[in-house]
Amino acid sequence: MSATVDPLRIPGRNIRRRRATDRVMGALLAVAAVVAVVPLVLVFAYVLIQGLPALNVPLLTQSPMPAGFPGGGVAPAVGGTLVMVGLGTLLGTPVAVLAGIYIREYAGSRGATAIRFLVDVLAGVPTIAVGLFAYGLVVVPMGTFSAIAGAIALAVIILPIVARVTDEMLGLVPGSVREAAYALGIPPWKTIVRVVLPAAASGIVTGILLGVARIAGETAPLIFTALGNQRVSTSLTEPMDALPLRIWVYATGPYDSWHQQAWAASLLLVGLVLIFSLLTRFVLRRRGPAGR
Amino acid sequence: MTLMTEQTSNALPAADPPAGGPPTASVPTADPPATAAPAAPQAAPIAQAGSSHARTIAVAEHAAVTIEHVAVGVEIEHLNAYYGQHLVLRDITLSVRPNSVTAIIGPSGCGKSTLIRCLNRMHEVTPGARVEGQVRLDGDPIYAPGVDPVVVRQRIGMVFQRPNPFPTMSIFDNVVAGLKLAGIRDRALLEQVAERSLRRAALWDEVHDKLHAPGGALSGGQQQRLCIARAIAVEPEVILMDEPASALDPMSTLRIEELIDALRTSYTIVIVTHNMQQAARVSDRTAFLTVGEDRAGYLVEEGPTAQIFTNPRRRLTEDYISGRFG
């Protein structure tokens, strides 16, 4: 090496090759990102194209026609999904949030690790097994398939999702905020309820939304709990229809009119989840200076 | 008050408070230091470094002038502090005098922050942390069986190194958080306390027209004054400050120091600082801690600030304040 070497250049490396590698790698990452988004767009587009022609008012207001007859709608399924997802969320979420608070604030590091592991295992249990659990717990003793059995199965599915999100979101609230409250002579439980929980609220609500979207699309746990119902039912102790169940029945059935309605029902389900989460986000943004 | 005269008399013998003059109760409207605070904003940053000596004298004058509210003292007796098995503070015995500013200085890792956190039982919030020995607030042991740390912390407020306003609360709600969460709902009272506390913290003029904006939207220096307002809103008797200005710019630091100076009329203040000029400027007494061979912090000496900085009794102190180590 002579004295004329540019001191700003790294000796022994080809800057042009490094730039080329950088460009190739950057392009690869961009492609991967696009590939990750493509299925979402395709699913939406496909459901929209296939479902829109059959989406009409009777679909929302009428009960299914006898097999093979054209017309009718999926009103029992729409109502049933709203009822069971709502009830499942109401049953599962409070327990889940409290469990999340316990894990983060009270369990201690060893206890928290153990409970977290168990909750993760529950989250990993196949949903059809959760359905079987609800079947044994509720359907067999009651002697009948019922909406409440379906709701309980859905509650068991949303529970670990919301519990872990609550746990994580509470963990994101800085310790300095807790200490500020303690230093004011605020008892620990009140610090959690009035200071820490509000600071984590938007994240927890986002987690609940994810959970709701997840259970709204669940089919397997409803097969031998809620069973499905051709007619609108308002009783929690009788079988109830749900959109995923109806889609499953229609999509696997032999009639073209069923296939059409299965597409339209899919569009309804996707739309319901989407509208619900947008609404909640909007409401959250409107109130409270919190944000993040 | 009697303690004060002893300490101020060597600096300013003539400025003793009138004998027998009863301390005025903490009247909400009386806050002359707050209005005097934004004196010369342009000149301050430049003048700051050079004027430490002049300010020290000014501080002493202030302290001797009025005591609005007689605060209480804190006695630290043979205090050991641990994190798990690790001893971080060894046998600290130190007396904090009422209505004075006591600075705790020392090199990094000497346990300054741990010491101050032992005074309001915040040390034990850290998992595995524990304390031996005793701390007395106005003679009452705070580490006695049956003492609720919540009650201790209601009487001993704290300001932290980094401003930590409650993120979900407005400026107003931050200031009155301690009262609101204690169940006080009287709107008029809350508003009165909020204004009084913000005035004392020299923040009222800057925020009175946006009390319902989020506390996190203020600048760092304003946030720290908000935290001071929040601490004094619950009317503690002692205020602990853990490097309250270390995350702030020089201008904000100056304002916090002026504030500390004004607050001594009603509170007993203990301030941890790694900034020796700051200790010299704001404190009446200074305690110097250092860290021993066994990595545990211990008290080297404590005395009037002027003496510690000009004529320390111990060689170790002199080495530290003259910048030979630390």
Side-chain angles (χ1 to χ4, degrees):
Chain A
M1 285 285 157
S2 67
T4 56
V5 168
D6 184 341
L8 292 180
R9 262 187 212 158
I10 301 163
R13 298 223 185 145
N14 187 331
I15 191 87
R16 212 178 290 168
R17 213 184 77 189
R18 285 176 55 205
R19 283 204 184 121
T21 313
D22 179 53
R23 235 171 285 145
V24 170
M25 289 304 170
L28 275 177
L29 293 178
V31 167
V34 169
V35 168
V37 179
V38 160
L40 175 76
V41 177
L42 284 182
V43 167
F44 270 113
Y46 208 55
V47 168
L48 204 64
I49 291 163
Q50 298 278 348
L52 211 51
L55 190 66
N56 47 33
V57 176
L59 188 82
L60 280 165
T61 56
Q62 292 183 9
S63 292
M65 295 295 279
F69 287 86
V74 295
V78 175
T81 284
L82 292 179
V83 167
M84 285 190 289
V85 169
L87 197 60
T89 307
L90 282 180
L91 288 173
T93 303
V95 178
V97 171
L98 292 175
I101 293 173
Y102 180 79
I103 294 171
R104 179 60 63 174
E105 306 284 344
Y106 290 100
S109 69
R110 203 170 296 176
T113 309
I115 302 170
R116 245 174 233 143
F117 174 71
L118 294 177
V119 170
D120 285 343
V121 169
L122 179 58
V125 170
T127 52
I128 191 137
V130 174
L132 274 173
F133 162 75
Y135 176 82
L137 188 79
V138 186
V139 176
V140 172
M142 280 176 68
T144 170
F145 296 103
S146 64
I148 189 72
I152 287 171
L154 296 182
V156 172
I157 295 165
I158 201 173
L159 184 89
I161 302 171
V162 175
R164 287 293 270 128
V165 167
T166 303
D167 172 20
E168 295 298 330
M169 290 302 134
L170 291 176
L172 289 181
V173 178
S176 65
V177 171
R178 271 165 246 254
E179 291 202 336
Y182 294 158
L184 286 174
I186 298 166
W189 68 270
K190 208 171 235 181
T191 300
I192 293 166
V193 174
R194 299 286 296 274
V195 177
V196 179
L197 214 49
S202 67
I204 294 172
V205 169
T206 305
I208 294 173
L209 286 180
L210 277 174
V212 168
R214 165 82 193 281
I215 63 171
E218 281 295 340
T219 319
L222 297 178
I223 295 171
F224 27 71
T225 52
L227 187 69
N229 195 334
Q230 298 271 19
R231 277 182 293 278
V232 174
S233 163
T234 53
S235 167
L236 293 181
T237 54
E238 280 170 28
M240 192 176 265
D241 214 9
L243 275 171
L245 280 178
R246 187 53 49 189
I247 293 165
W248 177 58
V249 171
Y250 278 3
T252 54
Y255 311 106
D256 270 350
S257 63
W258 277 18
H259 298 160
Q260 275 291 308
Q261 291 198 345
W263 281 114
S266 302
L267 182 59
L268 265 181
L269 188 57
V270 171
L272 275 180
V273 170
L274 201 69
I275 289 166
F276 175 73
S277 59
L278 286 179
L279 264 182
T280 319
R281 262 158 217 273
F282 180 70
V283 170
L284 269 185
R285 198 163 301 171
R286 287 277 301 270
R287 65 167 266 263
R292 300 221 287 128
Chain B
M1 261 173 84
T2 47
L3 294 167
M4 294 298 300
T5 42
E6 176 241 68
Q7 168 262 317
T8 46
S9 56
N10 48 8
L12 284 154
D16 278 350
T24 36
S26 60
V27 186
T29 47
D31 59 334
T35 42
Q42 298 91 343
I46 309 137
Q48 199 193 9
S51 68
S52 70
H53 183 62
R55 273 190 53 79
T56 310
I57 291 168
V59 162
E61 275 173 354
H62 260 274
V65 173
T66 45
I67 289 175
E68 293 175 22
H69 179 264
V70 178
V72 302
V74 178
E75 305 289 329
I76 303 164
E77 297 166 353
H78 302 292
L79 188 85
N80 292 327
Y82 297 83
Y83 286 111
Q85 294 302 308
H86 183 52
L87 181 70
V88 288
L89 278 180
R90 175 151 37 79
D91 198 24
I92 306 283
T93 296
L94 177 64
S95 168
V96 175
R97 305 182 175 200
N99 289 99
S100 72
V101 177
T102 301
I104 298 172
I105 61 169
S108 300
C110 73
K112 306 184 290 286
S113 292
T114 303
L115 176 58
I116 204 174
R117 288 168 65 88
C118 287
L119 303 188
N120 66 342
R121 297 193 59 169
M122 286 294 280
H123 178 60
E124 67 205 49
V125 169
T126 311
R130 66 196 165 85
V131 168
E132 292 166 0
Q134 192 54 269
V135 175
R136 292 179 192 276
L137 176 65
D138 199 20
D140 301 327
I142 70 168
Y143 285 104
V147 171
D148 186 351
V150 168
V151 177
V152 172
R153 293 180 199 136
Q154 281 164 358
R155 295 181 60 186
I156 307 182
M158 191 167 201
V159 176
F160 295 84
Q161 188 168 356
R162 296 197 165 273
N164 53 0
F166 296 128
T168 54
M169 296 186 194
S170 66
I171 292 169
F172 178 85
D173 285 339
N174 259 286
V175 177
V176 297
L179 299 178
K180 263 191 156 175
L181 270 59
I184 294 170
R185 297 250 156 71
D186 181 349
R187 188 78 195 169
L189 176 68
L190 292 177
E191 278 170 7
Q192 188 192 333
V193 170
E195 176 168 350
R196 183 172 69 210
S197 308
L198 285 167
R199 280 190 188 281
R200 285 226 69 159
L203 189 59
W204 176 256
D205 292 342
E206 290 156 66
V207 302
H208 68 91
D209 54 348
K210 52 174 179 180
L211 288 176
H212 297 284
L218 297 174
S219 75
Q222 289 174 324
Q223 285 188 20
Q224 194 63 303
R225 277 178 282 147
L226 177 63
C227 291
I228 293 173
R230 181 176 66 185
I232 59 183
V234 293
E235 295 187 5
E237 292 152 86
V238 178
I239 300 177
L240 309 173
M241 297 185 169
D242 188 358
E243 304 196 25
S246 69
L248 305 181
D249 60 280
M251 190 62 220
S252 301
T253 302
L254 180 68
R255 302 212 59 178
I256 299 284
E257 288 179 10
E258 285 169 342
L259 185 52
I260 293 168
D261 186 23
L263 288 173
R264 85 179 73 206
T265 59
S266 301
Y267 306 97
T268 302
I269 296 171
V270 184
I271 176 171
V272 164
T273 177
H274 62 238
N275 179 336
M276 281 183 280
Q277 284 73 33
Q278 183 171 66
R281 283 193 296 266
V282 302
S283 70
D284 302 304
R285 298 184 73 88
T286 296
F288 170 59
L289 266 60
T290 193
V291 57
E293 302 265 302
D294 56 353
R295 327 247 335 121
Y298 64 97
L299 180 68
V300 177
E301 72 171 290
E302 186 268 349
T305 296
Q307 184 216 313
I308 294 283
F309 279 91
T310 56
N311 187 22
R313 291 191 302 270
R314 306 285 293 272
R315 178 66 189 272
L316 218 49
T317 314
E318 191 174 347
D319 287 351
Y320 181 71
I321 59 165
S322 59
R324 271 194 278 269
F325 83 103

